[in-house]
Amino acid sequence: MLSRRTFLTASLALGTGAALAPVARAGISTPGGRTLLTVTGAIRAGGPTKSVAFDLAMLDDLAQRVAKVRTPWTDGEVEFSGPLGSALLDAVGAEGATLRITALNDYAADVPAADFRAYPVMLATRVSGRPIPVREKGPIFVIYPFDVMPSLYTEATFAKSVWQVKSIDVL
Ligand SMILES: Nc1nc2c(c(=O)[nH]1)N[C@H]1C(S)=C(S)[C@@H](COP(=O)(O)O)O[C@H]1N2
Ligand SMILES: [Mo]
């Protein structure tokens, strides 16, 4: 068994990303990098304040989807990647039926949590492998799986396709 000192040294040698991974799995709401997403509300994680902050490394640690998707907001097929919505719900222990997803411009959409369970909805953090700048609708873009479920390509889904996401309140 490693001594605590040996473990810490090993973690530092592996770098910040590796050192953060166990933090994300433990559900501790202390990101080492800039917070991209805050999840609040009816969640089992997050301590008494019921708030979990995610930086990019913590979002990367969740089960991912990578897909080339056509959207109304992009030209042709674009490769989006990011955590599955279902993985995020599992990570925070979401218990509510509605996700109030709010953007940097304060647009908000109430999305059924069931959507994240029924379809591989992605919280895209990257386009073509690069983090998404705010001016390109980042840092997080809700991407429904239009590639494998074309029947979702409707105005009702577009309204739930929040871009520039900053927070999700589980109601
Ligand atoms: N951040 C953000 N996401 C948003 C919106 C918004 O105003 N801000 N509008 C929503 C609605 S109601 C629809 S129909 C589509 C509209 O996309 P468009 O404005 O590019 O047509 O984006 C959705 N996502
Ligand atoms: Mo809309």
Side-chain angles (χ1 to χ4, degrees), residues 16 18 21 38 40-41 49-50 55-56 63 99 101 133 139 144 151 154-155:
T16 318
T38 306
T40 56
T49 62
K50 291 292 159 206
D55 65 9
L56 186 57
L99 311 172
I101 304 182
Y144 275 75
S151 63
T154 63
E155 192 65 31

Side-chain angles (χ1 to χ4, degrees), residues 144-155:
Y144 275 75
F146 303 123
D147 54 326
V148 290
M149 300 176 132
S151 63
L152 290 173
Y153 202 88
T154 63
E155 192 65 31

Side-chain angles (χ1 to χ4, degrees), residues 70-92:
R70 287 178 196 278
T71 78
W73 310 279
T74 44
D75 286 333
E77 283 188 342
V78 170
E79 187 196 274
F80 289 97
S81 53
L84 285 164
S86 57
L88 182 83
L89 297 187
D90 289 347
V92 299

Side-chain angles (χ1 to χ4, degrees), residues 19-171:
L20 278 173
V23 174
R25 272 193 295 277
I28 296 167
S29 54
T30 311
R34 184 168 63 92
T35 295
L36 297 194
L37 176 70
T38 306
V39 184
T40 56
I43 57 178
R44 286 192 298 277
T49 62
K50 291 292 159 206
S51 178
V52 181
F54 288 86
D55 65 9
L56 186 57
M58 292 167 73
L59 294 170
D60 286 350
D61 204 40
L62 303 173
Q64 306 283 299
R65 177 162 205 256
V66 184
K68 292 204 170 85
V69 186
R70 287 178 196 278
T71 78
W73 310 279
T74 44
D75 286 333
E77 283 188 342
V78 170
E79 187 196 274
F80 289 97
S81 53
L84 285 164
S86 57
L88 182 83
L89 297 187
D90 289 347
V92 299
E95 296 182 311
T98 301
L99 311 172
R100 181 156 297 162
I101 304 182
T102 303
L104 293 171
N105 69 348
D106 287 335
Y107 173 81
D110 283 352
V111 174
D115 278 17
F116 281 25
R117 304 287 184 197
Y119 320 121
V121 180
M122 189 198 310
L123 296 165
T125 53
R126 290 181 175 81
V127 167
S128 304
R130 290 176 297 101
I132 314 174
V134 169
R135 84 181 76 84
E136 291 172 32
K137 296 188 161 37
I140 297 174
F141 195 160
V142 174
I143 299 292
Y144 275 75
F146 303 123
D147 54 326
V148 290
M149 300 176 132
S151 63
L152 290 173
Y153 202 88
T154 63
E155 192 65 31
T157 308
F158 302 154
K160 297 186 285 188
S161 300
V162 185
W163 62 79
Q164 295 179 336
V165 173
K166 67 173 178 190
S167 60
I168 299 178
D169 194 23
V170 183
L171 306 176

